[in-house]
Amino acid sequence: MNRDQALTIVKKQLGEGPRYQHTLRVTECAIKLAEKYGADIEQTELAAIFHDYAKLMPIDELKRRIELTNEDSRLLVYPPELWHGPVAARIICEQFGIANPDVIAAIRYHTTGRAGMSLLEKVIYLADYIEPGRSFPGIEETRELAEISLDQAVLKALSNTILFLLKKNASIFPDTFEAYNSLIIKGGKRF
Ligand SMILES: [Fe+2]
Ligand SMILES: [Fe+2]
């Protein structure tokens, strides 16, 4: 599937509003990161274009799709904001025939992260976090780190997210902690 075909499918699902505009910015940002850090450009483009495919689906529909498949059932006791990644991953595989496991994983885990993320998974996770339309405390530092080190930037995005959720007493999906821990340990810091 080429870029135009993918964009046509996504535009039909998301409309041309803010979520589609966000998708375009994530795609541009992800391609820059892919060029810098050596990820496959076509796979990056495809994963970025489809990453929020299920973002506007009603919560009931997302829930139904997670229940009907052998998706990680732990998701359902965590915030619904996490659900559109796994649902989109399944749809692009089953409905649109995108078979590349790394593209599918990058879409599936963009809402949570996970331990041992691939280069492509990190590129999509980070692009989604730092795309130019985003503005929240700590983002500039993450953008600066993205110029220097992909791992450090992803780690900053994960720790900002965890801190944000802690401060509002929200639950935190275990994969997000595991993503954080795996990058800390990879960086040689344990204590
Ligand atoms: Fe998303
Ligand atoms: Fe997104």
Side-chain angles (χ1 to χ4, degrees), residues 19 22-23 26 48 51-52 55 84 110 128-129 131 134:
R19 189 49 46 179
H22 159 76
T23 295
V26 170
H51 85 283
D52 271 348
K55 179 78 181 181
H84 67 278
H110 89 269
D128 191 31
Y129 190 84
E131 64 94 343
R134 301 279 204 202

Side-chain angles (χ1 to χ4, degrees), residues 16-31:
E16 288 185 50
R19 189 49 46 179
Y20 183 69
Q21 300 307 317
H22 159 76
T23 295
L24 295 179
R25 291 192 300 270
V26 170
T27 304
E28 198 181 322
C29 185
I31 289 170

Side-chain angles (χ1 to χ4, degrees), residues 22-127:
H22 159 76
T23 295
L24 295 179
R25 291 192 300 270
V26 170
T27 304
E28 198 181 322
C29 185
I31 289 170
K32 278 188 203 156
L33 290 170
E35 283 167 350
K36 186 172 179 61
Y37 292 107
D40 182 282
I41 303 296
E42 279 177 29
Q43 289 173 14
T44 299
E45 195 169 50
L46 211 50
I49 291 173
F50 278 106
H51 85 283
D52 271 348
Y53 179 83
K55 179 78 181 181
L56 301 183
M57 265 186 196
I59 288 176
D60 285 352
E61 173 72 6
L62 292 168
K63 186 172 182 230
R64 192 182 64 84
R65 285 173 180 267
I66 289 171
E67 283 169 345
L68 280 177
T69 55
N70 57 350
E71 213 49 74
D72 188 341
S73 58
R74 293 176 308 167
L75 281 163
L76 294 175
V77 292
Y78 288 88
E81 286 79 13
L82 305 179
W83 301 352
H84 67 278
V87 170
R90 193 166 285 269
I91 291 173
I92 67 137
C93 179
E94 290 175 358
Q95 261 172 259
F96 306 128
I98 293 167
N100 184 291
D102 205 17
V103 171
I104 293 167
I107 295 170
R108 168 170 282 123
Y109 296 106
H110 89 269
T111 54
T112 58
R114 65 164 169 169
M117 290 163 85
S118 72
L119 175 59
L120 182 60
E121 286 173 55
K122 289 178 202 165
V123 162
I124 299 300
Y125 185 88
L126 184 59

